[in-house]
Amino acid sequence: MKFQDLRLSEPLLRAIGEKGYTDPTPIQQQAIPPVLEGRDLQGCAQTGTGKTAAFTLPMLQLLAAEPAPKGRRPIRALVLTPTRELAIQIDECCRDYARYTPIRHCVIFGGVNQRPQVDALQKGVDLLVATPGRLLDLIGQGYVTLDTIRFFVLDEADRMLDMGFIHDIRRILPLLPERRQTLFFSATMPESIAALAAKILRNPVMVTV
Ligand code: AMP
């Protein structure tokens, strides 16, 4: 299978080509079509499988296909990930893949001065990549609202729970609109993770690699 077979848009195919990718990985083959159709997704996949592109590419395509909102851009997509390193990596993928689309993105994480992150947010972004603590901080200060989110990605759910982020996640979930598309990824699916997935996903497609 080739990327061309996944019905991705020309601007995304061009960016993928420039990255040197030719064939989609198994998680990309299985996840991209249902996500493009608007389905929720529960993916059991580790880092290294190409899962970042599996959720980023279809989400960018759907965001770019929606009419651009007037005025300052509302945040339409949120990717929540446990660590600063993962957040930076995901944001770099967004930069590479979104190069030929009008989608604007930024990344926020703790342990650094919040000022540059707040400045980036205030210019308006479509897609926000965040770690839970800094996200809640900036929500508390009124710099971020989640009521316009259409796409929500929970990345590395098992690591989130291991790192003690369950309380943060419980605080974030009720701030998201009910009507949204949700993509859930975890390297392992023990009972506690499956229960969390069941709570936040609606009739998901299950993908395991
Ligand atoms: P991830 O699992 O998302 O962290 O991706 C692991 C690595 O695989 C990253 O360095 C990606 O740039 C790379 N990658 C993702 N998709 C593909 C693909 N279809 N072909 C080749 N490399 C890829």
Side-chain angles (χ1 to χ4, degrees):
M1 186 189 268
K2 299 280 167 202
F3 274 107
Q4 280 77 2
D5 303 322
L6 291 173
R7 300 213 266 154
L8 289 168
S9 62
E10 199 281 326
L12 293 176
L13 289 174
R14 190 162 15 135
I16 293 165
E18 286 179 9
K19 290 281 283 181
Y21 306 168
T22 52
D23 304 334
T25 65
I27 182 96
Q28 292 163 4
Q29 292 181 25
Q30 293 174 65
I32 291 173
V35 176
L36 283 176
E37 282 170 16
R39 296 284 305 270
D40 279 8
L41 185 98
Q42 179 172 335
C44 196
Q46 304 190 345
T47 296
T49 55
K51 76 176 158 68
T52 312
F55 63 76
T56 311
L57 289 168
M59 198 161 57
L60 288 170
Q61 176 148 329
L62 294 171
L63 285 169
E66 286 184 347
K70 300 232 175 354
R72 199 182 96 178
R73 294 169 185 229
I75 302 169
R76 290 182 290 153
L78 171 68
V79 180
L80 210 53
T81 194
T83 70
R84 158 201 182 127
E85 289 73 24
L86 283 165
I88 292 169
Q89 270 173 37
I90 294 167
D91 188 61
E92 284 171 356
C93 284
C94 292
R95 178 200 61 201
D96 291 349
Y97 304 143
R99 178 158 292 155
Y100 302 110
T101 76
I103 300 305
R104 294 228 299 252
H105 57 93
C106 84
V107 60
I108 62 175
F109 46 81
V112 295
N113 184 343
Q114 71 173 45
R115 194 70 243 170
Q117 298 176 0
V118 169
D119 289 345
L121 284 166
Q122 289 189 323
K123 289 190 190 125
V125 297
D126 301 290
L127 189 163
L128 176 64
V129 183
T131 55
R134 179 55 59 99
L135 177 66
L136 282 166
D137 269 359
L138 296 187
I139 289 172
Q141 295 173 53
Y143 292 120
V144 176
T145 52
L146 300 183
D147 51 0
T148 51
I149 293 293
R150 297 255 304 98
F151 302 95
F152 173 53
V153 181
L154 189 63
D155 184 40
E156 307 246 344
D158 49 359
R159 239 170 116 189
M160 279 294 186
L161 265 56
D162 288 346
M163 290 174 69
F165 284 133
I166 188 66
H167 300 292
D168 287 350
I169 293 170
R170 287 218 183 97
R171 285 174 61 200
I172 292 166
L173 289 176
L175 306 177
L176 298 166
E178 288 269 323
R179 238 179 83 92
R180 59 167 200 255
Q181 189 175 355
T182 306
L183 315 177
F184 183 102
F185 289 89
S186 191
T188 58
M189 274 307 158
E191 207 39 32
S192 56
I193 304 292
L196 178 65
K199 218 180 107 190
I200 68 175
L201 295 168
R202 203 175 281 182
N203 185 23
V205 173
M206 308 277 194
V207 173
T208 302
V209 295

